Amino acid sequence: MSAENLFKNAEEACKHRLYTKAKSLLNTCITVYGEDDDVYCLLGQIANDEGDDNLAVDYLTEALKLNPENIQALLLKGKVCGLQRGKLEVAKKYFNTVLELEPDNHVALCHLATVLREEKDYDKAVSLFQKGINLDEGDLSGYAGLAQTYFDQGMFQEAFDTAVEGANNGFATPEITNAHEGWTKILKETAEILAKQVDYEELFLDMTKEIADKWSATVMLVPDKSLTVGALLEGGQHHDAENPVIRYNEEVEYYEHAVAHELGHLQMYLAAERTDNMTEITRTPKTDSVFEKKFGAEMREKLAGTMPDEQIEATVKQEKEALIAQFTHDPLNLFVEQYLYDNYPTLRPMQFWVLIAQIRKAVASLKEERERQPVSPKAFSARKVLHAVAALHFRELFGIDLFGAFKCNKKEEESAEHILQALRDDYETYVTEDKPGHEIYFLDFCSVVLDTRYIFWLNFPEIPEEEGPYDYDEKADENDEEEYDEVDDDDESDDEDDDNGDSENKGTISLWEVSTILAISDALDYFAEHSSAEVTQMAKEMDKLFESGIDPDDTEHKYNVPSMPDKKDMTGEVLLANIYTAWKLVGVEIDEQWEKVYAKVYEDAQTLFAEHHNGQRCTLDD
């Protein structure tokens, strides 16, 4: 393997925090090809990431001995020796040296701005942060630093707006995966401070006046301490469109957001009602039969024997009401939150706190639900997808990524992405083409993706009520159910598939794929030095270990194979990769499930092997 390829592989391993692998590759590079400033610099970065700043300094010093103008080494040494140790003059020296070499280096500008902020030279710090951001709008560190500078001066609105702008510009970049601590901290702290400073009474007056002026409706806000929620729009179907009433309880935390949310719902309702685009969400006898077919039978099966039959029926009924409420309300709530975010920026800090709390509550409730499992796997999956969409939407609004907490399998992840795209499209149509009532089309799309159609009924104005939005075809629905079962047997099995790296269509390479490609690549290098008979013997011994049970998630337990003394203490995941590789090389017929998991990463590893062996794939000698 060439020095260039060793270094590239080390960089790739670092991206996924595979530091042991990266250090091994870099040390090999030095041993085989000699000292290199970039290699020492990357070793310094790894040492710093692992918390050993003294070792980081040693590596960076070596890098700068070889090349005093190594930009990355200068930046990192200024950060480690200066910023991290509070030696601001030392930091200035390194960052100014970089700017002498590259005047438009946005990282050096932002680092120098950080030094100036620590010295309380706020005006110069703001100027340099803004210059750095202009040079690279996707770098969250610039926004984090600028927001912190505003925060330190008590300019909380400017700090919050800067953090949100950074989120909108940078959440899709790799940095957001690790969520810059400073940037996230500022976003949270400023949101909390600002949420307490807003005059919500004035905000509500403005919102109600807008509704009254546009739709000739008198909106009443009535205190009601009997409510268990922050606010409630009176009347399930808002029967009195002329004089709607919103009741609220000031003793409920964040009731202000609940009032604004209900006002947002009311605005959308009146817009649809006044323009003859009103669509009612209703229940029919067919609703119950469809729900029974899709979810009820599975619920009863899961609860059988755990409680008396009458209690099972009561539980199924309770879960049915909860599920139908979520399937109808959650998509419309997303629409309302987008409306509030776009039209009432002073509400955003409060909105931030409420939405992040709701998402975390959803994560906890799903975990509890998984443990007691009163609902069917299909219902659980649909519920999880709706919560995951809310997390994706929150990421778009505020930049904090909570999506991974829901542990979606591949199908659920794709469903969530499709629903989010539909939200974008339908909301854009609602706004730009002025189409009141268009939020119901988004609700209908969600019901298609989640396979929940017909458990509620949408009476679109242009379609007779008795027909509903679509003709219900019992046979077609049965086919849909069979297809669903075929691709998604249960939630746990899909999570297992996802954990095993089945991400062909995700568009990005997963951590599992990276580590498995590296493991198979090592296995190919190892087996290439042995004959077919020797590898066959190794495969047999590994098979015995496999038959006794291997837990790939148990990183503490290590495995050893007598005929492979040079590969000691393999983890379960590495052992499985070696088993598959040995089978492929000796020509053993492999089970379809194994092929599904390992075939693609094996081919990637063989391609990597060929790159370093004159284009030849790994094969065994007789």
Side-chain angles (χ1 to χ4, degrees):
M1 186 181 293
S2 68
E4 181 181 357
N5 284 330
L6 283 168
F7 187 77
K8 285 182 179 179
N9 288 342
E11 285 184 314
E12 187 64 27
C14 283
K15 288 179 183 178
H16 301 279
R17 298 183 177 273
L18 301 173
Y19 293 138
T20 300
K21 182 69 178 178
K23 287 187 287 188
S24 176
L25 291 167
L26 293 171
N27 287 323
T28 299
C29 192
I30 292 173
T31 301
V32 176
Y33 296 102
E35 295 182 329
D36 181 273
D37 57 306
D38 288 333
V39 172
Y40 280 123
C41 182
L42 188 53
L43 283 168
Q45 179 67 66
I46 293 170
N48 187 56
D49 288 348
E50 293 183 328
D52 191 341
D53 60 341
N54 289 325
L55 181 59
V57 170
D58 290 342
Y59 280 130
L60 295 170
T61 300
E62 292 301 316
L64 291 172
K65 283 181 182 178
L66 295 169
N67 179 10
E69 296 185 357
N70 186 306
I71 298 296
Q72 294 304 315
L74 288 167
L75 287 171
L76 189 53
K77 195 165 185 183
K79 179 181 175 183
V80 175
C81 295
L83 284 178
Q84 292 178 190
R85 296 178 176 178
K87 297 181 178 180
L88 302 184
E89 290 302 320
V90 173
K92 276 185 182 179
K93 181 187 77 170
Y94 283 105
F95 301 146
N96 280 319
T97 299
V98 173
L99 291 172
E100 289 173 7
L101 297 168
E102 293 183 1
D104 288 338
N105 187 295
H106 74 278
V107 177
L109 286 167
C110 290
H111 282 347
L112 185 56
T114 300
V115 174
L116 294 171
R117 186 189 69 224
E118 292 295 321
E119 295 178 338
K120 302 189 185 307
D121 191 346
Y122 296 124
D123 290 342
K124 287 184 180 178
V126 167
S127 177
L128 287 182
F129 276 127
Q130 289 176 334
K131 185 176 180 180
I133 289 170
N134 291 336
L135 289 168
D136 187 350
E137 293 184 349
D139 183 1
L140 288 178
S141 63
Y143 290 101
L146 181 57
Q148 182 68 57
T149 306
Y150 285 135
F151 184 89
D152 290 350
Q153 298 176 83
M155 301 168 67
F156 301 121
Q157 188 63 56
E158 290 84 351
F160 184 80
D161 291 343
T162 299
V164 171
E165 183 183 358
N168 290 331
N169 280 317
F171 83 84
T173 63
E175 288 87 347
I176 192 59
T177 303
N178 302 318
H180 285 326
E181 290 184 6
W183 169 78
T184 305
K185 178 173 178 288
I186 287 299
L187 188 54
K188 290 180 178 179
E189 289 183 356
T190 53
E192 185 174 24
I193 291 170
L194 289 171
K196 296 174 181 178
Q197 294 180 347
V198 174
D199 186 343
Y200 292 102
E201 185 174 333
E202 182 180 352
L203 173 65
F204 298 154
L205 287 173
D206 289 343
M207 294 179 74
T208 54
K209 186 176 185 302
E210 288 174 22
I211 293 172
D213 290 347
K214 190 167 186 178
W215 306 116
S216 300
T218 301
V219 183
M220 296 181 64
L221 301 180
V222 179
D224 185 348
K225 291 187 178 180
S226 68
L227 290 179
T228 57
V229 294
L232 185 66
L233 183 58
E234 194 172 81
Q237 297 297 324
H238 322 305
H239 298 298
D240 186 359
E242 298 299 325
N243 300 294
V245 175
I246 292 177
R247 300 188 178 276
Y248 64 92
N249 186 353
E250 292 179 326
E251 296 181 357
V252 175
E253 190 176 26
Y254 302 131
Y255 82 94
E256 301 94 338
H257 174 267
V259 173
H261 186 90
E262 294 302 327
L263 284 167
H265 267 299
L266 179 60
Q267 151 64 27
M268 290 184 178
Y269 170 84
L270 290 174
E273 193 269 340
R274 297 289 200 270
T275 56
D276 294 326
N277 287 300
M278 192 63 209
T279 303
E280 289 187 317
I281 306 171
T282 62
R283 302 274 289 276
T284 71
K286 187 169 287 186
T287 298
D288 290 334
S289 66
V290 173
F291 184 90
E292 174 63 25
K293 175 190 281 188
K294 291 182 181 295
F295 305 121
E298 286 184 316
M299 288 185 191
R300 289 182 176 83
E301 182 180 347
K302 292 179 72 66
L303 293 171
T306 64
M307 59 183 72
D309 289 347
E310 60 272 17
Q311 191 175 347
I312 289 177
E313 291 306 312
T315 301
V316 171
K317 182 178 179 180
Q318 179 183 351
E319 291 295 336
K320 176 177 71 175
E321 297 303 319
L323 284 169
I324 292 177
Q326 182 180 9
F327 294 155
T328 53
H329 293 163
D330 281 13
L332 298 183
N333 287 340
L334 290 171
F335 226 81
V336 173
E337 292 302 335
Q338 186 67 56
Y339 170 80
L340 294 178
Y341 182 90
D342 289 346
N343 292 281
Y344 303 99
T346 57
L347 185 67
R348 289 178 188 172
M350 176 70 74
Q351 187 180 25
F352 171 89
W353 276 107
V354 171
L355 295 184
I356 198 171
Q358 288 176 351
I359 292 168
R360 287 171 174 163
K361 183 178 179 180
V363 172
S365 68
L366 287 172
K367 181 180 179 182
E368 179 185 348
E369 193 168 287
R370 181 190 289 274
E371 291 172 355
R372 61 186 179 90
Q373 292 189 333
V375 300
S376 71
K378 292 178 189 175
F380 181 86
S381 180
R383 177 172 278 173
K384 180 164 65 169
V385 169
L386 281 174
H387 287 314
V389 175
L392 289 175
H393 188 228
F394 181 75
R395 186 180 73 178
E396 287 203 344
L397 299 184
F398 296 104
I400 293 181
D401 191 354
L402 303 174
F403 176 72
F406 292 99
K407 298 181 179 178
C408 291
N409 60 44
K410 181 179 177 182
K411 179 180 177 181
E412 291 165 345
E413 185 175 321
E414 290 175 346
S415 296
E417 291 285 0
H418 289 158
I419 290 174
L420 180 67
Q421 184 59 52
L423 172 64
R424 295 191 194 106
D425 294 343
D426 285 318
Y427 186 80
E428 183 71 16
T429 301
Y430 176 89
V431 173
T432 60
E433 298 182 20
D434 192 19
K435 288 193 174 182
H438 203 74
E439 62 272 20
I440 297 298
Y441 290 88
F442 172 59
L443 174 59
D444 185 54
F445 180 85
C446 291
S447 73
V448 174
V449 174
L450 298 174
D451 193 26
T452 59
R453 181 177 280 177
Y454 311 116
I455 67 168
F456 54 85
W457 209 247
L458 297 176
N459 297 321
F460 287 93
E462 68 273 19
I463 299 176
E465 180 177 346
E466 62 272 11
E467 294 182 13
Y470 300 92
D471 291 331
Y472 182 74
D473 185 337
E474 293 279 350
K475 184 171 178 57
D477 189 65
E478 289 175 7
N479 292 337
D480 287 344
E481 292 249 325
E482 290 172 5
E483 181 180 357
Y484 190 103
D485 287 336
E486 185 177 330
V487 298
D488 193 11
D489 294 334
D490 60 64
D491 184 68
E492 291 185 4
S493 65
D494 277 337
D495 281 339
E496 182 177 305
D497 287 347
D498 191 49
D499 289 342
N500 285 338
D502 183 14
S503 56
E504 181 178 346
N505 298 317
K506 287 184 180 177
T508 58
I509 188 166
S510 70
L511 177 59
W512 180 89
E513 287 175 296
V514 172
S515 61
T516 305
I517 289 170
L518 291 172
I520 293 177
S521 180
D522 282 345
L524 291 172
D525 286 333
Y526 183 81
F527 293 140
E529 301 297 322
H530 297 80
S531 68
S532 179
E534 289 172 330
V535 175
T536 299
Q537 178 60 32
M538 297 174 192
K540 290 179 179 179
E541 292 180 8
M542 287 189 287
D543 281 349
K544 289 183 180 179
L545 288 175
F546 176 70
E547 289 171 1
S548 66
I550 295 173
D551 184 0
D553 296 323
D554 184 359
T555 57
E556 298 298 322
H557 189 79
K558 300 296 189 294
Y559 299 88
N560 293 289
V561 180
S563 59
M564 301 169 66
D566 299 331
K567 292 181 73 68
K568 292 183 178 180
D569 297 331
M570 289 184 279
T571 64
E573 192 170 84
V574 171
L575 180 61
L576 291 175
N578 275 265
I579 292 173
Y580 178 87
T581 305
W583 283 345
K584 291 291 284 188
L585 292 175
V586 300
V588 172
E589 184 176 349
I590 299 177
D591 181 83
E592 182 179 342
Q593 188 62 31
W594 277 74
E595 289 287 11
K596 179 182 176 183
V597 174
Y598 286 97
K600 183 178 182 299
V601 287
Y602 177 81
E603 286 304 312
D604 289 341
Q606 277 282 19
T607 300
L608 184 63
F609 182 91
E611 288 178 2
H612 308 307
H613 293 82
N614 299 318
Q616 299 297 313
R617 291 165 60 90
C618 179
T619 56
L620 302 179
D621 296 328
D622 294 334

